[in-house]
Amino acid sequence: MQDHVLVVGAGLAGATAARILAESNLRVIVVERRKHVGGNCYDYTDENGITVHLYGPHIFHTNSREVWSFVNRFCEFRYYQHRVLSFVEGRLVPFPINRDTICEVFGVNIGVEEVEDFLKDEVRRSNFNDPPKNFRDVVVSQVGERLYELFFKNYTIKQWNRDPEELSPDVAKRIPVRYGRDDRYFSDRYQGIPARGYTHLVERILDHPKISIVTNMDYFELRDHVKPKLTVYTGELDRFFDCVYGKLEYRSLRLVFKTYDVEYYQPVAVVNYPNDYDWTRITEFKHMTGERSSRTTVLFEYPSAEGEPFYVVLTRDNIERREKYMEEVKKLEKSGEYIFVGRLAEYLYYNMDQVIEASIRKVSEWLKNRTG
């Protein structure tokens, strides 16, 4: 294998890296522990003819023209603007927080030009650390304590099994707030869903004569027996180093699919449940895909400490462990024999477009150093 590149994992990070390397005339072998490609983006058509996302909902959004151009090389995207409602105090309220959310919660009727001042007043009446020390501080500093308690506190406790004050401020970077009436969850320039699904997108990215794919293969069962030119690793960071600095914590999900004999179960694709019930959200996929059926499939998400790793847990202890592991990563990457990329391999809270962007950047730098 000395003239080959080994890519560990066939999710978006691994597939993107494999494609760029193959287009640079390198032979690439992709090994995937699961029986399918696509990573946590994997989707399929269920018995009702509805495309469902096996590991939870994925909506593609980016402001990067480079990333958008890259994915559009391999599939068409269905126009889709993601909207979310939150079930609070017995009613469905627009989320993220915008002018209409404020009017619903506080029983006021303000114009969009008044939203910013209204939230500033809420913040002034609240207590928090500035600069922020944790997740709670970031959210309260933007929307005040009332909205934090209603929409964020209990959802965060359910999702992470941590008090929000234990979580890094970085966890709150993904939380949008609107000063107008824009009720889209994302405001990125480019948004959509692959018209034929994420699995098809990843299969197309990997469809190159210089790429070979082996599924049902655990990298750790073969790494002592192969010596590739380059290893692109997208798996769990701590496992690569045999947890020498201790285990990093990941959160998982227990995912329960249900089918109902109704055309639609809820008014939007995703409804959050921050305070009521054990699940955090319900997804109805037909809103995303535009598929028509007299029945509908929905997904209930229950956060779990056990199972497939979905989310990194950015507590102080985990961040300190990550820094130790990343020092080892720097040494390996400096050798030119390894690239670590992706949410698990870098222990970062990446969106899909950020995963692709990081993979493009890291592989391009490696290629430049190799030829330079």
Side-chain angles (χ1 to χ4, degrees), residues 22 28 55 90 97 133 162 174 237 247 275 300 356:
V28 182
Y55 303 101
I97 290 164
K133 294 181 178 179
R162 287 281 193 285
R174 289 160 54 106
L237 176 61
K247 284 186 67 65
N275 307 307
F300 291 73
I356 293 171

Side-chain angles (χ1 to χ4, degrees), residues 61 63 95-96 132-142 148 152 156 160 164 167-178 185-188 312 314 319 322 343 347-351 353-354:
H61 56 99
N63 282 316
F95 189 82
K133 294 181 178 179
N134 53 53
F135 176 94
R136 179 193 179 278
D137 290 338
V138 174
V139 178
V140 173
S141 70
Q142 293 181 67
Y148 162 76
F152 298 97
T156 304
W160 302 104
L167 295 172
S168 164
D170 289 342
V171 179
K173 284 182 178 178
R174 289 160 54 106
I175 294 169
V177 177
R178 306 273 191 267
Y185 196 80
F186 306 112
S187 58
D188 301 62
V312 301
L314 297 179
I319 291 170
R322 176 193 182 270
R343 181 182 283 197
Y347 204 75
L348 289 174
Y349 209 37
Y350 275 143
N351 290 323
D353 66 316
Q354 293 170 318

Side-chain angles (χ1 to χ4, degrees), residues 149-167:
E149 295 276 340
L150 200 57
F151 290 94
F152 298 97
K153 181 179 179 179
N154 293 323
Y155 189 98
T156 304
I157 292 170
K158 278 199 282 186
Q159 177 73 17
W160 302 104
N161 195 32
R162 287 281 193 285
D163 187 289
E165 294 186 39
E166 296 179 56
L167 295 172

Side-chain angles (χ1 to χ4, degrees), residues 84-131:
V84 174
L85 295 173
S86 195
F87 185 76
V88 294
E89 298 180 328
R91 55 188 169 173
L92 295 175
V93 179
F95 189 82
I97 290 164
N98 60 28
R99 177 264 178 194
D100 294 345
T101 315
I102 291 168
C103 291
E104 284 270 352
V105 170
F106 292 93
V108 296
N109 184 18
I110 61 174
V112 294
E113 70 282 356
E114 300 173 87
V115 171
E116 187 172 2
D117 286 340
F118 186 96
L119 289 177
K120 284 180 178 178
D121 286 340
E122 286 296 302
V123 169
R124 270 195 291 270
R125 289 197 290 268
S126 303
N127 295 310
F128 57 93
N129 294 300
D130 187 16

Side-chain angles (χ1 to χ4, degrees), residues 26 37 44 60 68 70 75 91 100 103 106 113 116 123 136 138 166 187 232 235 256 274 295-296 308 332:
L26 291 164
V37 303
Y44 66 96
F60 199 89
W68 185 244
F70 178 80
C75 75
R91 55 188 169 173
D100 294 345
C103 291
F106 292 93
E113 70 282 356
E116 187 172 2
V123 169
R136 179 193 179 278
V138 174
E166 296 179 56
S187 58
V232 179
V256 179
R295 311 182 82 198
T296 191
E308 291 284 344
L332 290 176

Side-chain angles (χ1 to χ4, degrees), residues 161-214:
N161 195 32
R162 287 281 193 285
D163 187 289
E165 294 186 39
E166 296 179 56
L167 295 172
S168 164
D170 289 342
V171 179
K173 284 182 178 178
R174 289 160 54 106
I175 294 169
V177 177
R178 306 273 191 267
Y179 291 135
R181 299 192 68 182
D182 185 355
D183 63 348
R184 297 174 303 157
Y185 196 80
F186 306 112
S187 58
D188 301 62
R189 184 178 302 142
Y190 309 107
Q191 302 183 41
I193 303 285
R196 295 179 60 185
Y198 286 99
T199 304
H200 175 74
L201 166 62
V202 175
E203 287 173 344
R204 287 292 308 277
I205 295 173
L206 291 169
D207 184 12
H208 190 282
K210 287 193 173 291
I211 297 176
S212 302
I213 307 164
V214 182

